[in-house]
Amino acid sequence: MPLICVCSPKGGVGKTTVAANLSYALARSGIKVLAIDFDVQNALRLHFGVPLSDGRGYVAKSMENPDWSQYVLTTGGNIFVLPYGDSTEEQRVAFEDRLANDEHFLARGLSTLLNYPGLVVVADFPPGPGPALKAIASIADLNLVTMLADTASLSLLPQVENQRMIGGPLNHRAGHYFLINQADTRRHISRDVTSFMEERLGERLLGVVHRDESVVEAHAAQKSIFEFSPASAAAFDIEIISKKVASILGVKVGDGEVHASPKLSGY
Ligand SMILES: Nc1ncnc2c1ncn2[C@@H]1O[C@H](COP(=O)(O)OP(=O)(O)O)[C@@H](O)[C@H]1O
Ligand SMILES: [Mg+2]
């Protein structure tokens, strides 16, 4: 089933926020979504109502159990979450080592999940290149590269465009697309960089998400932007991007049923 990877050459640009809200956007149109975290920060789960004190996840168990599906947390809605979880330094190093040296490790870990009928998988990555982003290239369907509308992001654009991020294509299917996050129309530089990227990237730029306080407040309230502030600019922007992603991947959008905020049940 479609595997979408949210990545970026730079940290703090909003990858986790985008991954979470894209998952919500797809889920509210009736699609079942699995959100997977590949970042040791283990922050993705916090967007789905998993308490800070809940350290469950797949990484610590990934050496002893080749199938990671049993570490999925189910929510009350259409969203499933596979948190990175708490891990020791040894566990993290062993996980990354295995990702780098065993080409089947990741595909095996996700194989049950990727074969689940109708499930769309959204994976969140740490910034820059890394063993997980490299390992997933062979099975990823689409990469969504998150950029800011600033000069630092602009200077890193050639890295992505010239396949310098992981030394090859980010995936072998739909390719990579871009998203500009935290665009601020009141700032000159933001407007200039946005229009430059629009021109340079053309169809590869799936959309622009405005800087919007509702995004931060929704996260603090552990809600999706759609539930917290459905009329906000960011909700509108992410909705458009999710429709484009679904259309590129040929994902059938379901009944449009909006589900309640997640209630977690353990694995
Ligand atoms: N569109 C947005 N508007 C306002 N704040 C945002 C937006 N997107 C992300 N943020 C904020 O930016 C910070 C970094 O986001 P995060 O998703 O953690 O980035 P990353 O995963 O790339 O490190 C967070 O505080 C988040 O709430
Ligand atoms: Mg993150």
Side-chain angles (χ1 to χ4, degrees):
M1 279 290 120
L3 170 55
I4 303 159
C5 299
V6 181
C7 60
S8 78
K10 209 166 127 14
V13 297
K15 288 177 297 300
T16 302
T17 308
V18 165
N21 284 305
L22 175 64
S23 301
Y24 275 115
L26 293 167
R28 72 200 285 267
S29 61
I31 298 166
K32 281 196 167 45
V33 181
L34 170 70
I36 304 181
D37 197 349
F38 283 100
D39 192 336
V40 67
Q41 281 185 44
N42 195 23
L44 185 62
R45 72 203 162 112
L46 301 175
H47 288 264
F48 301 107
V50 180
L52 200 58
S53 56
D54 187 338
R56 290 177 295 172
Y58 67 99
V59 171
K61 313 272 176 66
S62 61
M63 292 301 134
E64 58 200 72
N65 193 342
D67 179 0
W68 307 339
S69 62
Q70 61 182 278
Y71 307 119
V72 168
L73 299 178
T74 55
T75 75
N78 280 352
I79 301 183
F80 302 82
V81 190
L82 184 55
Y84 190 99
D86 289 344
S87 62
T88 63
E89 178 61 5
E90 287 74 30
Q91 285 166 333
R92 182 189 67 79
V93 170
F95 177 67
E96 293 192 354
D97 219 54
R98 194 74 181 274
L99 281 174
N101 297 308
D102 176 354
E103 61 175 319
H104 303 297
F105 177 61
L106 191 139
R108 212 186 293 123
L110 298 181
S111 92
T112 306
L113 294 165
L114 291 174
N115 285 313
Y116 192 91
L119 189 71
V120 172
V121 182
V122 177
D124 180 32
F125 288 84
L133 193 62
K134 209 165 171 167
I136 214 159
S138 62
I139 55 170
D141 289 288
L142 185 151
N143 284 69
L144 193 51
V145 184
T146 306
M147 309 290 267
L148 294 183
D150 64 11
T151 43
S153 285
L154 201 55
S155 70
L156 291 169
L157 198 53
Q159 256 199 32
V160 185
E161 291 192 299
N162 301 333
Q163 304 191 351
R164 291 211 305 268
M165 224 165 120
I166 58 163
L170 289 167
N171 68 69
H172 304 281
R173 299 196 174 129
H176 63 272
Y177 289 82
F178 294 86
L179 169 161
I180 298 175
N181 189 31
Q182 304 195 39
D184 188 343
T185 45
R186 288 163 306 181
R187 293 172 61 220
H188 273 295
I189 195 73
S190 183
R191 286 204 306 269
D192 288 354
V193 173
T194 300
S195 46
F196 177 84
M197 286 199 191
E198 278 168 349
E199 202 168 305
R200 167 97 166 246
L201 300 172
E203 297 278 287
R204 290 267 150 194
L205 179 64
L206 285 194
V208 177
V209 180
H210 288 90
R211 181 193 292 276
D212 186 338
E213 268 317 292
S214 313
V215 171
V216 185
E217 286 165 17
H219 182 35
Q222 291 219 335
K223 287 188 172 148
S224 85
I225 186 75
F226 304 104
E227 199 186 342
F228 185 81
S229 187
S232 64
F236 182 77
D237 299 335
I238 291 167
E239 180 77 27
I240 292 175
I241 291 165
S242 79
K243 291 219 162 79
K244 287 192 186 169
V245 167
S247 143
I248 293 166
L249 294 173
V251 173
K252 270 214 202 93
V253 171
D255 55 9
E257 196 181 332
V258 180
H259 294 271
S261 60
K263 281 181 202 67
L264 290 164
S265 72
Y267 53 73

